[in-house]
Structures are given as C-alpha cells and as structure tokens.
C-alpha cells in the first residue's frame, strides 16, 4: 500500500508544481529559465511516470492472481495482466509522450528558424512538462492551447506595446 501512496497522482502533481515554482523563482531573480533544472526535472518526471505504471501493473497482477483469475495458467495470467496494464496504465502516458515529443519538435524547429528570437531554448522543455502532466486526452487540449492562446493574445499585445522595427545587421 505504501507503493500506491508513493506513486499517486497527487505526489507527481505536487512534484510538477514544486518544480515549476522553483523555476519561476529562479526566473524572477535572474530573468532566465534554469535549463539544467528543467532537463533533470523532466527526466525525473518521466522516470516517475513509468515507475508509477510499473507499480500499478505489479499491484494489478497480485490482485488478478489472488482474485477470480487464479484459475488461469500463470503464463496466460501474465499476458492478460500485461495487456490490461498497457491499456490502463501506460497508454495515457505514451499518448501524452507522443504529443509532448511532437510539440518539442515543433518548438525546436521554430527556435532554429527564428535563431532564438521567437522562442527561448527552455520553453520547449516547459511545453513537454505541460503535455506530460496533462496526460491523455488533456495533452491534446494543451497542444491546442499552446498555439491558439498566443494568437488570441496578439491583438492585445500589439495595442499595449510599442512595436519597433528590427535594426538591420549590415
């Protein structure tokens, strides 16, 4: 039961929020995002989500083995548990990961095309964090929001800020 509490969504949601608060405090002090913290935090977050699915799978196997499915042979029980776990515990993570990698690649392309003027290097890690935290199907709404909200905010930003032409480098 302790493993269930350790890998609960409340714990990984708290980790996500604490990491973003630390990144925000660092940003407010230095005016730049802590890239090393974001990369390591993202790595730990992914490992945490995979470990949570693995713990849930093991607990589900024990529940199936002790319950009504104990009439099945051991190999069929393992295959059934793997299919069940893949569908219920890992599919949301992997679908969210696919969307996160898609957003990461789009932000990487935009950053390379704009030579760092449009996007900061660390913003793509924040987008991946958001997509992984949202899971499936929330990552789809998150991806739409990432592209639609800046477009909706553009007219307001153009009215409230002074637009200066870019200086020519030649």
């Amino acid at each position: 039961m302790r493993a269930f509490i350790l890998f609960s969504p409340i714990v990984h949601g708290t980790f996500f929020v604490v990491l973003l608060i630390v990144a925000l405090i660092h940003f407010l002090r230095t005016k730049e995002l802590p890239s090393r913290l974001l990369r390591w935090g993202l790595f730990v977050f992914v490992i945490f989500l995979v470990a949570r699915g693995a713990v849930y799978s093991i607990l589900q196997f024990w529940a199936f083995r002790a319950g009504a499915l104990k009439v099945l042979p051991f190999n069929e029980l393992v295959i059934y548990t793997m299919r069940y776990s893949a569908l219920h515990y890992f599919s949301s993570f992997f679908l969210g990961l696919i969307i996160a990698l898609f957003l990461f690649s789009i932000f990487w392309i935009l950053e390379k095309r704009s030579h760092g003027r449009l996007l900061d290097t660390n913003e793509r890690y924040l987008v991946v964090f958001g997509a992984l935290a949202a899971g499936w199907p929330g990552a789809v709404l998150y991806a739409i929001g990432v592209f639609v909200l800046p477009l909706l905010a553009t007219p307001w930003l153009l009215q409230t800020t002074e637009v200066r032409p870019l200086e020519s480098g030649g």
Side-chain angles (χ1 to χ4, degrees):
M1 199 59 169
R2 289 181 182 166
F4 177 74
I5 293 169
L6 177 64
F7 293 105
S8 71
I10 295 170
V11 173
H12 85 262
T14 305
F15 170 77
F16 177 72
V17 169
V18 167
L19 189 71
L20 286 181
I21 289 172
V22 169
L24 178 66
I25 290 170
H26 185 274
F27 176 75
L28 292 175
R29 287 184 179 171
T30 63
K31 298 300 180 199
E32 64 181 36
L33 287 172
S35 61
R36 191 172 187 187
L37 174 71
L38 290 176
R39 284 194 303 264
W40 276 103
L42 182 61
F43 177 73
V44 169
F45 195 62
V46 168
I47 295 298
F48 197 74
L49 291 176
V50 170
R52 184 186 69 162
V55 168
Y56 284 172
S57 299
I58 291 169
L59 292 175
Q60 191 64 51
F61 174 75
W62 286 341
F64 284 157
R65 193 168 178 201
L69 293 177
K70 62 182 170 184
V71 296
L72 291 175
F74 184 76
N75 61 341
E76 289 183 22
L77 182 61
V78 170
I79 291 171
Y80 181 79
T81 305
M82 288 173 57
R83 287 181 182 166
Y84 184 89
S85 299
L87 178 65
H88 289 89
Y89 305 130
F90 289 106
S91 63
S92 175
F93 167 69
F94 283 121
L95 291 172
L97 184 64
I98 289 170
I99 292 175
L101 292 175
F102 174 72
L103 289 173
F104 183 85
S105 63
I106 287 177
F107 271 61
W108 183 74
I109 291 169
L110 288 174
E111 180 191 348
K112 294 300 176 193
R113 290 219 169 188
S114 68
H115 302 291
R117 291 186 308 236
L118 185 61
L119 295 169
D120 186 20
T121 303
N122 299 322
E123 290 177 4
R124 58 185 176 207
Y125 296 114
L126 289 174
V127 169
V128 171
F129 259 127
L132 285 176
W136 178 263
V140 174
L141 297 174
Y142 179 77
I144 292 170
V146 163
F147 293 110
V148 171
L149 289 177
L151 293 176
L152 294 175
T154 301
W156 177 79
L157 288 172
L158 289 175
Q159 288 179 352
T160 59
T161 58
E162 178 182 335
V163 178
R164 295 184 308 242
L166 291 174
E167 297 178 15
S168 61

